[in-house]
């Protein structure tokens, strides 16, 4: 069975602080895909990044970076120099076949000015 | 602007009403999904259509009836709902097949209140 765990329910930081959101996944399949989504208060889930199980390269996109480690089954997300606009709920998700997507419970990030 | 359009944005209905939620995408995606999201919870999968055929029904009560009239449209027909069905209903689509599957692209959702 597949499972995604986001142990941090809510995190509060002050603007310009760095923050890391943790994601741990479980699957016995060797081929899988990982995602991060952002859900601002408006409700829409916004796709941030996708990672394939066979590609362990870390990625940086502006202030965002992702650390994929198969050895620890983790796919963590770091926001550098956080801004108020980063306040949202962030979901980590996993899929094997693009039919079922398994979402973590989400981490609510509050960035205070 | 989202490329998956959902209407209406808000819906209030009584338990005896019949209503429909609509979803449209023009990205050529051949998989479409309905998710239900309660407050402070992750999205829960309800239905998946692949190539206009229902491929997954997550044991959803029959008061929810999905329909996929064509590759761009997805409907969710609602009848005799309960107050606990109040939630944000999210439609999503993805490109599938040919080894080039895409992430889920979500619409803005329909916030449903059942009175």
């Amino acid at each position: 069975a597949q499972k995604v765990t986001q142990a941090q329910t809510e995190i509060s930081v002050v603007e310009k602080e760095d923050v890391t959101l943790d994601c741990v996944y479980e699957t016995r399949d060797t081929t899988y895909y990982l995602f991060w989504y952002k859900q601002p208060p408006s409700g829409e889930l916004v796709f941030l990044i996708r990672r394939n199980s066979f590609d362990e390269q870390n990625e940086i996109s502006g202030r965002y970076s992702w650390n994929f480690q198969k050895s620890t089954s983790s796919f963590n997300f770091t926001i550098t120099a956080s801004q108020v606009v980063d306040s949202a709920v962030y979901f980590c998700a996993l899929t094997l076949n693009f039919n079922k997507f398994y979402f973590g419970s989400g981490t609510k990030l509050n960035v205070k000015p | 602007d989202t490329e998956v359009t959902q209407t209406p944005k808000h819906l209030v209905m009584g338990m005896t009403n019949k209503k429909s939620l609509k979803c449209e995408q023009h990205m050529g995606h051949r998989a479409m999904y309905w998710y239900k999201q309660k407050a402070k919870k992750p999205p829960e999968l309800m239905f998946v259509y692949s190539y206009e055929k229902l491929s997954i029904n997550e044991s959803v009560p029959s008061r929810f009836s999905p329909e996929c009239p064509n590759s761009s449209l997805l409907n969710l027909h609602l009848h005799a709902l309960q107050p606990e069905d109040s939630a944000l209903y999210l439609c999503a689509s993805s490109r599938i097949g040919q080894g080039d599957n895409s992430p889920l692209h979500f619409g803005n959702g329909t916030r449903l209140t059942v009175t």
Side-chain angles (χ1 to χ4, degrees):
Chain A
Q2 281 54 241
K3 186 178 178 183
V4 176
T5 300
Q6 293 180 256
Q8 303 152 309
T9 305
E10 188 165 353
I11 301 174
S12 292
V13 299
V14 176
E15 213 170 14
K16 298 186 183 176
E17 283 184 15
D18 298 347
V19 59
T20 295
L21 310 183
D22 297 333
C23 173
V24 174
Y25 62 92
E26 294 174 34
T27 180
R28 291 186 177 179
D29 278 58
T30 55
T31 299
Y32 52 88
Y33 307 84
L34 296 164
F35 304 83
W36 275 96
Y37 283 87
K38 173 183 181 180
Q39 188 173 38
S42 57
E44 180 191 355
L45 277 141
V46 178
F47 164 71
L48 296 177
I49 190 170
R50 159 187 170 166
R51 253 305 164 253
N52 306 332
S53 55
F54 42 88
D55 180 4
E56 275 195 85
Q57 267 194 326
N58 291 323
E59 184 157 337
I60 297 175
S61 175
R63 296 184 297 107
Y64 294 171
S65 61
W66 291 270
N67 183 356
F68 176 29
Q69 291 200 335
K70 287 175 78 169
S71 60
T72 55
S73 297
S74 64
F75 185 41
N76 296 339
F77 172 28
T78 297
I79 301 175
T80 303
S82 59
Q83 299 177 1
V84 172
V85 293
D86 295 327
S87 296
V89 180
Y90 291 85
F91 291 98
C92 181
L94 174 148
T95 189
L96 304 180
N97 55 15
F98 290 81
N99 261 339
K100 281 193 175 186
F101 284 73
Y102 300 86
F103 284 85
S105 54
T107 297
K108 184 176 182 183
L109 176 63
N110 302 305
V111 182
K112 301 174 183 177
Chain B
D1 287 341
T2 182
E3 295 177 82
V4 178
T5 304
Q6 288 188 245
T7 55
K9 290 186 179 178
H10 300 273
L11 178 62
V12 179
M13 60 185 290
M15 289 189 284
T16 58
N17 291 158
K18 283 186 182 181
K19 296 286 185 183
S20 296
L21 308 185
K22 296 185 183 304
C23 175
E24 189 169 2
Q25 58 88 14
H26 294 288
M27 295 178 282
H29 290 173
R30 302 306 297 273
M32 295 187 78
Y33 312 73
W34 280 115
Y35 281 84
K36 172 183 177 179
Q37 188 179 24
K38 302 283 269 185
K40 300 186 180 181
K41 296 290 185 183
E44 294 174 36
L45 182 64
M46 300 175 73
F47 303 104
V48 181
Y49 275 83
S50 300
Y51 299 97
E52 295 89 69
K53 287 188 175 17
L54 183 65
S55 59
I56 295 179
N57 175 344
E58 289 285 272
S59 302
V60 178
S62 59
R63 58 185 184 269
F64 295 91
S65 175
E67 179 196 19
C68 189
N70 60 55
S71 60
S72 300
L73 294 174
L74 185 66
N75 299 322
L76 186 63
H77 303 297
L78 315 172
H79 174 53
L81 295 194
Q82 305 296 311
E84 58 265 29
D85 296 321
S86 299
L88 180 67
Y89 287 83
L90 291 158
C91 174
S93 70
S94 72
R95 183 179 61 243
I96 56 172
Q98 303 173 344
D100 184 26
N101 301 325
S102 76
L104 293 172
H105 293 254
F106 283 91
N108 285 327
T110 294
R111 200 162 293 278
L112 174 67
T113 303
V114 182
T115 60

